[in-house]
Amino acid sequence: MLRITGYSDKYSAHPGDSVRFYVNSEKNEEFEATIVRLIHGDTNPEGPGFKEEVLKTKCNGRYPGRNQRIHGGSYIVIPDDARMHCASFTLQAFIFPTTPDKGRQGLVTKWLEGRNKGYGLFIDENGCLAVDIGDAKGKVTTLSSGKKLLRKVWYLAAASYDAASGALTLYQEPVVTSANGGLGMALLHPASDTTAIVKGKCANGPAATAAPLLMAAATAQAASGRHICGAHYREATTPVELPRQTLTYNGKIDRPRLSARALSKHEIEALARGFKSCPADLRAAVVGAWDFQANITKHIASCQIIDTSPNLLHGFAINLPARGMTGFNWSGDEIVYHHAPDEYGAIHFHDDDVDDARWDCDFTLEIPMNLKSGVYAARLRIGGESTPATEDYVPFFVRPPRGTTTAKIALIIPTNSYMAYSNDNLATNSVVAELLAGRVPIMNASDLYLNEHREYGLSTYSLHSDGSGVCYSSRLRPILNMRPKYRHWLSPSLWQFNADLHLTDWLEQKGFAFDVHTDEDLDREGVELLKRYRVVLTGSHPEYSSERMIDAYEAYQAAGGRWLYLGADGFYWVSQYHPDNGNVIEVRKGEAGTRAWTANPGEYSNAFDGKFGGMWRQRGRIPSKVCGLTFTGYGFDVSTYYRRESDSHRPECKWIFAGIGADEIIGDFGLVGGGAAGLEIDRYDLEFGTPHEAFLLARSEGHTDLMLQVNEEIHFAVRGYYGGGDENPMIRADMIYYKTPNDGAVFAPGSLAWCGSLSHDDYDNNVSRIMENVIKGFLKKGALP
């Protein structure tokens, strides 16, 4: 078991900025915090080894430890209001349960679990709709439909209670169409199997409680000490205290309502259609009519929940449930939610959603004014021990002083991709993990810890507990696979963050000064950030890019920038930052692409910007139009090498190969699978947008049959037709170079494993030599040869 974990409030900071750190000491043990500069994160004995430099900072020291928990699960909170203290009431909503058999779940509740007071709509332990009323003495009256709710079927769920007569009525009625996901399932079951109108009696009405009204959960404790304010809760102008939630629900909810009298079935149906169209006497009875589509504009990123009644009992969605979801009445005529907002009135809640761990801060670092730009971390240790259980690192990136540069080279750290893969659980959950890796996955202690602690959140390669895909990822939580010394289960060596430290280590060894910025910095500042630098480098796997990032890279090339794309599978998936909170990205996996899940019909558009998600290729911006190469194959067993092509001997290109023999094999060594060409690879393809003036410098060979072509290019599943890397000519890493306007240029080796070969033979090898030749050539003033 891991005894210490942590995270920070930001990834990047300038000198003079503050970075806050949040720490969980599992057993309340004291811990030591030390700020270090990370140079090389790979512990592979065949390489240069782990390298860090301890810094003297004011925050270094020992701190009392405390156990801090993450309370996962998304829900809506409507703060307590006297108007919700109803003697008589009607609760109603359209619901689409995705795990009705998981146990008791809150739907719309003004309820204190444990004290058994209040009222609420629930799914009961038997998977049936139920209403609970708890009186002042904690005596509970429960009425169940006795009919199991079907998974992924829309229902009108309602309960009415009349205090004068004690009459209690529960309604469970399927609402199915050919498009809303439920018709096929419903046709297999007679209506009598899943429809119910049940009547009962309740002698004593609900007790008034301080519990808020929750949707998709119930209240365990009205005051938790946790608050929301700011960030993507910008409408919370003052801090709003959160309850301690329980009984979290999996599924969609659409058009929840609360009325202060017992409504008839006809009135329930009229109110479900819309508050404003109801008769005046019915409107007068309504306490809250929450329409989730009410604040859909060009996007639906807001966490505010709108009450369309005159009472204006607005609330907030916590832990970022999925927005832009098809509702009970989705017709299929429109697949973009802001084109038909009335059909997208649903929110999809998950019991494992997390947008922020919401831990208390343990210490703060003031970035020293003279601290050089680079990769840093807060090293956390219990008992001074450096073991997987007693040590954690919380990485962050220091930029140059605000508005300045300290080098001619900029390295853009692919933090979007780090976030997309954060805390992935494929090794323990994916049925194809062993097939992908070509061996039994080798896991770290942190992988096993994450398997036991799902509250730490998931990656965009994961499925929620109800089987739906994870489309949001937040960095405000410990991300345990973004750590030095971490070896990813999928690759033969390193992946993402640690793989990028191969590059920073090499730059330092070769004496190249460089500034560090993150994807978020580039998204926010655009091409003006890049134009400060003569040369810009990517990391090894810039797979996830926002539109602003791609715009900036294209504009940089057009302006004469010199760019090294040093990875593969780059600029592949559309990713979008939350408009109010750069801590969170959104990724919708669409109908194509090498992916772990596929979005449901009608749910391809990003909530954060309203634009089509999925692959950039599907939006006409295939990676080869950005960087000259397109993702062509993936295989995680071994890496291989390159042979030079004829273009490498041309006068315009031979300077790149100075010191390298004409027939010399390139990169048949390395820390990532034993070669420079592997894991994921890109190809040169004029048909897909590679510039016609691009030079093909080298091409890989010798890939195994586990290196497969990307599935977006496989149109028929025909046995033996496509084949693996040992027979498919599309499986290759192509190294290219081309010039751009205004004396600009691009170099790209087309392999995710490339940077893992830089340190071989004490940094004296042909991969290192090519890189050094290119960077030195790109740094020179004037036209390239």
Side-chain angles (χ1 to χ4, degrees):
M1 180 180 74
L2 303 187
R3 289 158 60 184
I4 189 163
T5 55
Y7 67 97
S8 64
D9 69 333
K10 55 177 67 77
Y11 269 171
S12 70
H14 295 281
D17 291 346
S18 297
V19 181
R20 296 180 176 86
F21 295 90
Y22 309 82
V23 179
N24 166 49
S25 176
E26 196 74 20
K27 298 181 179 179
N28 298 302
E29 298 168 281
E30 183 184 67
F31 67 90
E32 180 182 17
T34 306
I35 303 301
V36 299
R37 186 166 69 91
L38 295 174
I39 302 168
H40 193 265
D42 191 350
T43 58
N44 189 334
E46 296 182 3
F50 180 72
K51 301 179 188 179
E52 67 179 6
E53 176 188 331
V54 173
L55 305 182
K56 294 180 180 180
T57 69
K58 293 180 180 179
C59 72
N60 287 4
R62 306 189 71 82
Y63 294 88
R66 53 184 164 179
N67 183 285
Q68 302 207 68
R69 306 254 52 88
I70 299 176
H71 300 277
S74 56
Y75 60 98
I76 287 169
V77 56
I78 310 295
D80 181 39
D81 187 281
R83 287 167 288 189
M84 296 190 290
H85 298 177
C86 303
S88 300
F89 67 85
T90 299
L91 284 173
Q92 65 182 86
F94 293 102
I95 65 169
F96 183 84
T98 50
T99 57
D101 293 327
K102 86 159 192 171
R104 187 166 150 85
Q105 301 167 66
L107 295 170
V108 184
T109 68
K110 184 81 167 60
W111 179 262
L112 268 176
E113 182 74 1
R115 298 183 64 183
N116 296 333
K117 294 184 177 181
Y119 57 96
L121 267 177
F122 298 87
I123 297 174
D124 68 18
E125 294 85 350
N126 299 312
C128 306
L129 185 68
V131 58
D132 283 1
I133 297 177
D135 66 16
K137 295 182 179 180
K139 181 181 178 181
V140 180
T141 299
T142 297
L143 187 62
S144 172
S145 72
K147 301 289 182 69
K148 282 187 173 291
L149 293 160
L150 299 178
R151 182 173 183 262
K152 292 189 173 182
V153 170
W154 278 105
Y155 290 87
L156 174 61
S160 65
Y161 172 67
D162 181 69
S165 65
L168 181 60
T169 307
L170 183 67
Y171 302 91
Q172 176 180 310
E173 182 178 297
V175 181
V176 295
T177 71
S178 57
N180 75 0
L183 184 59
M185 180 73 74
L187 287 174
L188 297 175
H189 296 265
S192 59
D193 284 356
T194 191
T195 301
I197 300 177
V198 183
K199 296 182 179 294
K201 286 284 186 178
C202 178
N204 298 314
T209 75
L213 183 82
L214 297 191
M215 301 171 196
T219 300
Q221 181 181 330
S224 69
R226 298 178 298 134
H227 295 78
I228 58 168
C229 186
H232 50 283
Y233 298 101
R234 58 185 169 82
E235 294 92 351
T237 53
T238 58
V240 175
E241 185 164 18
L242 299 180
R244 185 82 70 211
Q245 83 276 17
T246 186
L247 306 179
T248 48
Y249 162 74
N250 282 321
K252 296 181 184 180
I253 296 177
D254 193 350
R255 290 168 171 77
R257 313 289 197 234
L258 170 62
S259 301
R261 65 174 173 85
L263 303 185
S264 68
K265 177 70 182 313
H266 174 74
E267 289 176 313
I268 290 170
E269 292 171 341
L271 183 56
R273 287 192 291 271
F275 172 80
K276 293 181 180 179
S277 62
C278 293
D281 62 330
L282 177 53
R283 292 200 304 270
V286 173
V287 176
W290 295 277
D291 283 336
F292 301 154
Q293 77 275 17
N295 50 356
I296 289 179
T297 55
K298 286 294 184 182
H299 62 73
I300 185 58
S302 173
C303 291
Q304 188 178 34
I305 302 300
I306 301 296
D307 175 15
T308 58
S309 82
N311 293 324
L312 303 179
L313 298 178
H314 306 317
F316 296 92
I318 308 301
N319 278 330
L320 277 183
R323 306 296 301 269
M325 299 284 109
T326 55
F328 78 99
N329 59 340
W330 184 60
S331 66
D333 293 339
E334 286 287 353
I335 60 172
V336 179
Y337 61 82
H338 50 81
H339 291 175
D342 188 61
E343 296 184 10
Y344 283 85
I347 293 179
H348 195 150
F349 301 88
H350 307 94
D351 60 11
D352 48 13
D353 281 330
V354 175
D355 72 340
D356 189 339
R358 296 189 175 86
W359 288 352
D360 292 326
C361 179
D362 288 274
F363 64 94
T364 301
L365 168 68
E366 304 291 337
I367 306 291
M369 295 303 297
N370 62 348
L371 193 62
K372 66 182 278 188
S373 182
V375 184
Y376 295 83
R379 188 184 70 195
L380 311 174
R381 284 179 177 170
I382 290 176
E385 297 182 59
S386 177
T387 70
T390 60
E391 179 181 75
D392 192 22
Y393 285 81
V394 182
F396 61 97
F397 308 93
V398 174
R399 305 177 68 190
R402 200 176 302 276
T404 69
T405 65
T406 61
K408 295 179 180 179
I409 299 172
L411 170 60
I412 307 301
I413 301 290
T415 48
N416 270 22
S417 296
Y418 298 171
M419 290 171 67
Y421 282 91
S422 59
N423 293 349
D424 81 69
N425 59 0
L426 293 174
T428 53
N429 283 60
S430 175
V431 296
V432 298
E434 190 171 334
L435 295 174
L436 279 173
R439 64 188 180 284
V440 175
I442 300 172
M443 290 179 277
N444 298 260
S446 56
D447 296 319
L448 300 176
Y449 184 85
L450 289 170
N451 191 48
E452 297 172 354
H453 292 268
R454 296 304 179 94
E455 71 275 12
Y456 271 55
L458 302 167
S459 77
T460 63
Y461 287 78
S462 304
L463 300 178
H464 288 291
S465 65
D466 69 352
S468 59
V470 177
C471 62
Y472 303 142
S473 181
S474 168
R475 57 177 167 78
L476 295 178
R477 55 183 169 130
I479 297 177
L480 302 184
N481 59 356
M482 183 192 158
R483 299 294 192 253
K485 305 182 184 179
Y486 179 84
R487 298 177 72 82
H488 197 275
W489 68 268
L490 181 62
S491 74
S493 180
L494 301 186
W495 188 261
Q496 298 284 343
F497 176 68
N498 268 349
D500 291 333
L501 291 180
H502 286 152
L503 175 58
T504 60
D505 172 58
W506 179 84
L507 289 168
E508 294 212 8
Q509 287 291 322
K510 292 296 180 179
F512 289 115
F514 62 98
D515 286 344
V516 164
H517 304 279
T518 68
D519 281 347
E520 183 185 355
D521 302 323
L522 179 57
D523 178 88
R524 184 173 54 247
E525 299 177 26
V527 70
E528 294 306 314
L529 171 62
L530 302 181
K531 285 166 66 175
R532 301 174 195 163
Y533 295 94
R534 182 67 171 162
V535 175
V536 172
L537 317 177
T538 73
S540 63
H541 197 185
E543 181 178 0
Y544 290 81
S545 301
S546 70
E547 186 171 16
R548 290 174 181 164
M549 290 165 56
I550 289 181
D551 288 345
Y553 281 129
E554 290 180 343
Y556 178 67
Q557 292 180 58
R562 295 179 176 180
W563 190 40
L564 282 79
Y565 162 48
L566 295 176
D569 184 19
F571 318 105
Y572 187 75
W573 289 112
V574 175
S575 63
Q576 181 61 38
Y577 288 98
H578 192 287
D580 301 321
N581 186 358
N583 298 304
V584 183
I585 63 166
E586 178 179 23
V587 177
R588 301 276 174 130
K589 301 293 174 84
E591 294 177 318
T594 303
R595 62 202 187 279
W597 55 273
T598 303
N600 289 323
E603 297 176 354
Y604 303 138
S605 295
N606 297 326
F608 292 176
D609 69 353
K611 296 184 179 181
F612 189 77
M615 301 173 65
W616 278 115
R617 177 188 287 224
Q618 302 300 103
R619 283 172 58 171
R621 303 186 78 169
I622 191 169
S624 46
K625 295 180 180 179
V626 181
C627 60
L629 299 173
T630 189
F631 184 27
T632 191
Y634 58 96
F636 306 102
D637 53 346
V638 295
S639 299
T640 184
Y641 55 88
Y642 297 82
R643 289 191 186 274
R644 292 178 65 172
E645 294 287 321
S646 59
D647 279 356
S648 71
H649 302 284
R650 294 173 61 120
E652 303 97 319
C653 306
K654 64 182 181 180
W655 62 273
I656 296 173
F657 292 86
I660 296 172
D663 298 319
E664 189 173 337
I665 290 175
I666 298 167
D668 55 341
F669 48 79
L671 298 175
V672 181
L679 298 190
E680 294 180 343
I681 53 177
D682 291 358
R683 76 170 186 270
Y684 162 110
D685 197 316
L686 297 176
E687 290 294 314
F688 283 153
T690 298
H692 284 261
E693 63 271 19
F695 300 107
L696 177 59
L697 304 177
R699 175 166 286 173
S700 70
E701 61 183 38
H703 296 285
T704 73
D705 60 353
L706 286 180
M707 179 67 79
L708 302 174
Q709 189 174 353
V710 291
N711 63 2
E712 60 267 24
E713 296 178 353
I714 296 175
H715 303 131
F716 293 96
V718 179
R719 184 186 300 274
Y721 179 76
Y722 290 95
D726 57 343
E727 56 183 335
N728 185 342
M730 304 296 274
I731 301 297
R732 62 184 193 263
D734 288 335
M735 184 188 303
I736 65 167
Y737 160 66
Y738 59 92
K739 298 179 183 180
T740 57
N742 301 304
D743 291 330
V746 174
F747 171 81
S751 167
L752 201 151
W754 175 261
C755 291
S757 298
L758 292 169
S759 65
H760 179 72
D761 196 16
D762 198 24
Y763 306 89
D764 185 14
N765 61 77
N766 51 28
V767 171
S768 175
R769 201 165 298 123
I770 289 171
M771 278 279 285
E772 192 169 1
N773 290 342
V774 171
I775 291 178
K776 285 182 176 179
F778 278 17
L779 285 171
K780 289 180 181 178
K781 293 183 179 180
L784 290 160

